[in-house]
Amino acid sequence: TITFEGNSFLPDGTLAGFIQSRESPSGLSQFMHGTFWGAFGSPAEIFDPLTLERDVDVLSDLYKTRGFYNATIGAGYSADTAQRTVSIRFDIIEGPRSFIDTLIYGGIDSLSGELKSRIFGGALFKQGDPYEADVVSREIVRVSNLLQNSGYPSSRFDYEAGGAFRYTSTNNFEIRLVFETGRLYRFGEITVKVEPPRDDITDDLTLRHLDFKPGDLYSRDLRVTSERNLNRLDLFEAARVDQEAAPESLAGQVIPMRVLVKPQPRNELSPELIASDENGALNLGLGVAY
């Protein structure tokens, strides 16, 4: 058996999902596994003291990511030689939790009021909330995606200036979310290339399925959804929507776009196998579909 003592913030099931030590399955499951050469059931789990040591480190790191920097994890085991089993016990002292003492968003002063409202309005945490490392990471991803879909394809998180900084005196955190936005860009002229060329595949046919037009703010998501729209038409073997050049290499703030499409064959013959039970007999035949 594996038991956890002293934990209140993280339930047993969550802790068990992170460790490598496992309880053995039922005797029936082990019997089925041995009888049917592993096709059914599961084998017994083998106890490994080194794995138990690693589990202690894993749980310690897990608590730190949830803001419990003073948590202490201990583990022990007892063996039943007669039953050839081992019982494992984890003893946990969670200690006080860290909170977000200070929250700073940097590098966004030049953004429009509407975009800043979306950044602050959708924030995943606020000053005074408990610190959780994965929530901070998700907030960085959220803001980065928002910038790249609002005309800033060169934006990135500044890992040198930003991050999570813990005060040893209070055990709380200062969170600095600093971004380098780069220049504001818009979609430029769109060039369509059909390979091989087809008279019936016109530029207008392709362009009307794009989710953007020249002059719109650049958006990575709109470029991706436009490419998906073209590939769903069943007219093309492949379709790709891409930039003519990287934004950093452009003198202006307009990004020319290109659409590359490879049409499906206009006429296609495919063989088919025909089967029926007409007149109570099995009938087989070959056919050609156009």
Side-chain angles (χ1 to χ4, degrees):
T1 60
I2 298 176
T3 58
F4 301 91
E5 300 292 338
N7 56 304
S8 59
F9 174 73
L10 293 173
D12 292 2
T14 298
L15 298 175
F18 278 87
I19 63 176
Q20 293 299 309
S21 298
R22 294 284 185 269
E23 292 184 353
S24 291
S26 66
L28 176 61
S29 182
Q30 294 181 48
F31 172 78
M32 295 287 287
H33 185 271
T35 303
F36 296 98
W37 304 281
F40 303 98
S42 301
E45 296 287 343
I46 307 300
F47 172 69
D48 181 1
L50 292 178
T51 299
L52 184 60
E53 291 181 15
R54 290 193 291 269
D55 287 340
V56 170
D57 292 337
V58 166
L59 294 181
S60 179
D61 291 341
L62 174 62
Y63 268 96
K64 286 180 180 178
T65 64
R66 299 298 193 271
F68 293 89
Y69 270 76
N70 293 322
T72 57
I73 315 295
Y77 63 91
S78 59
D80 185 334
T81 54
Q83 296 294 324
R84 300 176 64 187
T85 60
V86 172
S87 295
I88 296 174
R89 171 175 165 160
F90 291 94
D91 292 300
I92 300 169
I93 302 176
E94 294 178 336
R97 193 175 189 188
S98 298
F99 290 82
I100 298 174
D101 192 294
T102 305
L103 175 59
I104 299 170
Y105 285 82
I108 63 172
D109 291 342
S110 62
L111 302 181
S112 68
E114 187 272 337
L115 184 51
K116 283 191 283 189
S117 295
R118 293 171 65 191
I119 291 175
F120 295 132
L124 302 181
F125 53 83
K126 62 184 182 300
Q127 188 171 319
D129 284 355
Y131 169 77
E132 293 193 38
D134 58 339
V135 178
V136 174
S137 297
R138 293 204 304 271
E139 176 67 359
I140 292 172
V141 172
R142 184 190 73 88
V143 176
S144 295
N145 288 338
L146 190 55
L147 290 171
Q148 296 201 3
N149 291 316
S150 302
Y152 295 93
S154 302
S155 61
R156 69 177 189 88
F157 180 72
D158 188 343
Y159 284 94
E160 293 185 2
F165 305 91
R166 184 166 66 100
Y167 301 119
T168 55
S169 57
T170 63
N171 202 42
N172 290 333
F173 276 82
E174 175 181 311
I175 308 298
R176 302 177 201 158
L177 302 180
V178 182
F179 296 87
E180 293 183 4
T181 62
R183 293 190 295 174
L184 180 70
Y185 288 90
R186 296 182 179 273
F187 286 110
E189 180 184 0
I190 305 172
T191 303
V192 178
K193 182 177 181 181
V194 182
E195 187 62 41
R198 281 257 302 269
D199 293 338
D200 58 323
I201 305 295
T202 64
D203 288 0
D204 179 65
L205 173 66
T206 302
L207 294 174
R208 67 170 178 254
H209 290 93
L210 302 183
D211 289 335
F212 63 87
K213 62 183 182 300
D216 290 348
L217 286 176
Y218 182 89
S219 167
R220 180 186 58 193
D221 281 357
L222 291 182
R223 181 178 62 81
V224 172
T225 58
S226 296
E227 186 173 288
R228 189 179 299 132
N229 292 344
L230 293 173
N231 282 298
R232 285 176 174 171
L233 289 178
D234 204 28
L235 292 174
F236 310 116
E237 289 186 6
R240 183 176 178 182
V241 180
D242 208 348
Q243 303 166 182
E244 288 283 3
E248 299 81 3
S249 66
L250 300 171
Q253 293 177 251
V254 174
I255 302 177
M257 304 297 294
R258 64 170 176 261
V259 181
L260 307 176
V261 294
K262 182 179 181 181
Q264 295 272 19
R266 190 178 320 198
N267 302 306
E268 186 175 88
L269 292 175
S270 59
E272 60 182 4
L273 179 64
I274 302 171
S276 71
D277 59 354
E278 188 177 351
N279 299 324
L282 177 62
N283 302 288
L284 297 176
L286 297 175
V288 176
Y290 175 76

